[in-house]
Amino acid sequence: MASLVTGRRSHRKSKAGCLQCKKRKIKCDEDKPICRNCKVHGVTCSLASASTYTQHGHGVNSQRSSASAPGPECASPASEATSLQPTSSQSSLATFQADLAVFDLELLHHYMTATCYTLSRAPAAQAVWRDQVPRIAFTMPAVLHTLLAISALHLARSDQSKRASCIAHAQMHHNAAIHAMVPIVTSLAPENSPGMFLFASLTCIFACARPPEGTDFLVLFEHGQLSQWVRLFRGTKAIIDYGDSEFHTGVLAPIFANGSNLAARRRQAHALEQGQMYIWELRKMVCTKCSPDKSLLQIYQEALDGLCRTLAVAMKPGDERRLETADVFAWLLEVSSEYLELLRQEEPIALVIFAYFCVSVRQIEWMWWMEGLSGRLLKELHSALDEEYRSWLQWPQEQIAWSPDGDFRM
């Protein structure tokens, strides 16, 4: 304890640190081309330009080691052009910036002034989506493309005169984002984990927000697309598990703090009991069907327990608080891999359980990018089941106000 009151901790002063760390009065690790602090905060590091400058014979050390080397005023046009060549990461970002159209700048402005406020209801999290996320996106083209894709879909809803062009731009940026992410998707590291998480999260939003008309969106049961849709959300879990400590202390910390507060409601002791009232008939039918196979019954029982907790929060009587995605999609992150495999195989009971989950999805459709999703999911689930199991969907159909004859009922 005595060491806590002896003043500032002494450390080796950095004379060659970057300007950003010196301005913030923190220690710079001088790692080139970008120091760790600048990587974490998603800002431009002065070491990057200094490193490039030195590599081409114009640094201070190179001048001292070769007195006969020509100075900048004597450099030939060829050597001068060589000294201005950017690094590979700078080159890819510079290429993207050169390709930016005026409409892309409009999309960026729309994101900064409107879309960012729709991604969370917590003011602290909104500030991160507004201020920090674009900074990270400027260092990772895949994130920037996905951000612009989401903004385009949001603008398409608020300005009908631009709907067609917005949807086209959204698809274009989504395709570009996937292409840019492919080379780095297997290189998860502490310095790029915030960008990877943002790419995965924004891609999930895009998958829900993309309008179904004129596209193949949510044709869920060709080639196991329902399980792929679920795995898209679960992909964020691996990233979160990898960079857990960094996420809770870094620039994205307010987003994770908000998510932790919401998830705490599902973990309350009485949540499991409160949710039983919504699925007790389903649980009884599952027990009857699966009683001969104890291992299969356990997989479904665990999925139903998690669903109980989700429905207890989503259907809580008298709760006027608007739910957020963390309240609902936590079930997708927690459900077992064995259940996901049954879902991939389109096992009827797994599909029916997922239909009950769609009732909780209905509770977050106040978000623009979730609107109508529960009905589209339930429609596909209904078409995949035979008559015996379709009768199990009565409660989800009533809660979502959907019927196989006329789709949505009011």
Side-chain angles (χ1 to χ4, degrees), residues 33 44-45 48-49 52 85-97:
T44 302
C45 182
S49 58
T52 305
Q85 290 297 317
T87 62
S88 59
S89 61
Q90 291 172 325
S91 178
S92 61
L93 193 58
T95 300
F96 173 77
Q97 292 170 336

Side-chain angles (χ1 to χ4, degrees), residues 214-400:
T215 73
D216 58 353
F217 174 59
L218 228 55
V219 183
L220 295 174
F221 296 94
E222 291 184 7
H223 313 298
Q225 287 190 11
L226 175 60
S227 62
Q228 291 175 13
W229 184 81
V230 175
R231 290 178 187 277
L232 178 64
F233 283 85
R234 283 175 66 93
T236 61
K237 186 176 185 299
I239 301 173
I240 294 171
D241 291 344
Y242 179 85
D244 184 65
S245 59
E246 180 69 31
F247 288 140
H248 286 87
T249 57
V251 295
L252 301 183
I255 293 178
F256 285 86
N258 182 55
S260 297
N261 292 335
L262 297 176
R265 302 182 68 197
R266 298 180 69 258
R267 293 193 295 268
Q268 293 175 355
H270 59 274
L272 183 61
E273 182 180 353
Q274 288 179 342
Q276 293 290 352
M277 60 185 291
Y278 303 109
I279 66 161
W280 70 272
E281 287 188 357
L282 175 60
R283 191 186 289 274
K284 183 171 62 174
M285 290 186 288
V286 170
C287 289
T288 301
K289 283 282 187 181
C290 301
S291 56
D293 190 336
K294 300 302 181 184
S295 60
L296 181 63
L297 179 60
Q298 182 178 356
I299 293 171
Y300 285 138
Q301 291 283 30
E302 290 176 355
L304 288 171
D305 286 346
L307 186 57
C308 274
R309 295 183 179 276
T310 298
L311 289 172
V313 173
M315 306 292 288
K316 187 176 181 181
D319 190 353
E320 298 181 356
R321 182 184 73 90
R322 278 189 165 183
L323 300 182
E324 297 195 46
T325 52
D327 291 305
V328 172
F329 288 131
W331 183 74
L332 296 181
L333 303 184
E334 296 172 0
V335 75
S336 69
S337 298
E338 291 79 7
Y339 170 78
L340 283 184
E341 178 58 24
L342 294 169
L343 198 62
R344 187 191 68 80
Q345 297 174 8
E346 299 179 21
E347 289 295 328
I349 294 178
L351 296 178
V352 172
I353 292 175
F354 196 87
Y356 274 65
F357 168 71
C358 290
V359 175
S360 62
V361 174
R362 174 70 165 163
Q363 308 308 310
I364 55 175
E365 289 188 7
W366 62 270
M367 297 180 176
W368 67 272
W369 49 277
M370 293 295 299
E371 189 175 283
L373 181 61
S374 62
R376 300 200 298 273
L377 287 166
L378 191 58
K379 180 179 180 180
E380 298 292 344
L381 290 162
H382 182 274
S383 66
L385 293 169
D386 58 27
E387 288 297 328
E388 177 188 359
Y389 288 97
R390 284 179 179 177
S391 63
W392 292 28
L393 300 182
Q394 181 179 352
W395 186 73
Q397 289 179 193
E398 292 173 352
Q399 295 299 315
I400 296 175

Side-chain angles (χ1 to χ4, degrees), residues 106-128:
E106 180 180 349
L107 292 178
L108 182 59
H109 176 265
H110 183 76
Y111 173 85
M112 299 284 290
T113 58
T115 307
C116 64
Y117 296 105
T118 69
L119 304 181
S120 176
R121 299 187 69 246
Q126 288 176 344
V128 174

Side-chain angles (χ1 to χ4, degrees), residues 149-214:
I150 298 298
S151 179
L153 291 181
H154 188 224
L155 183 59
R157 294 173 55 88
S158 57
D159 190 342
Q160 289 297 316
S161 67
K162 297 180 179 179
R163 178 177 173 81
S165 61
C166 282
I167 293 176
H169 267 73
Q171 188 61 52
M172 177 193 70
H173 280 297
H174 174 68
N175 294 340
I178 298 297
H179 180 76
M181 181 55 67
V182 168
I184 59 175
V185 72
T186 59
S187 58
L188 183 60
E191 58 268 21
N192 65 17
S193 56
M196 294 280 234
F197 168 78
L198 292 174
F199 170 78
S201 300
L202 291 170
T203 300
C204 290
I205 295 175
F206 180 88
C208 296
R210 181 183 172 193
E213 65 268 19

Side-chain angles (χ1 to χ4, degrees), residues 122-142:
Q126 288 176 344
V128 174
W129 284 108
R130 182 193 64 221
D131 301 330
Q132 301 300 334
V133 171
R135 291 177 180 172
I136 296 174
F138 292 148
T139 68
M140 187 177 289

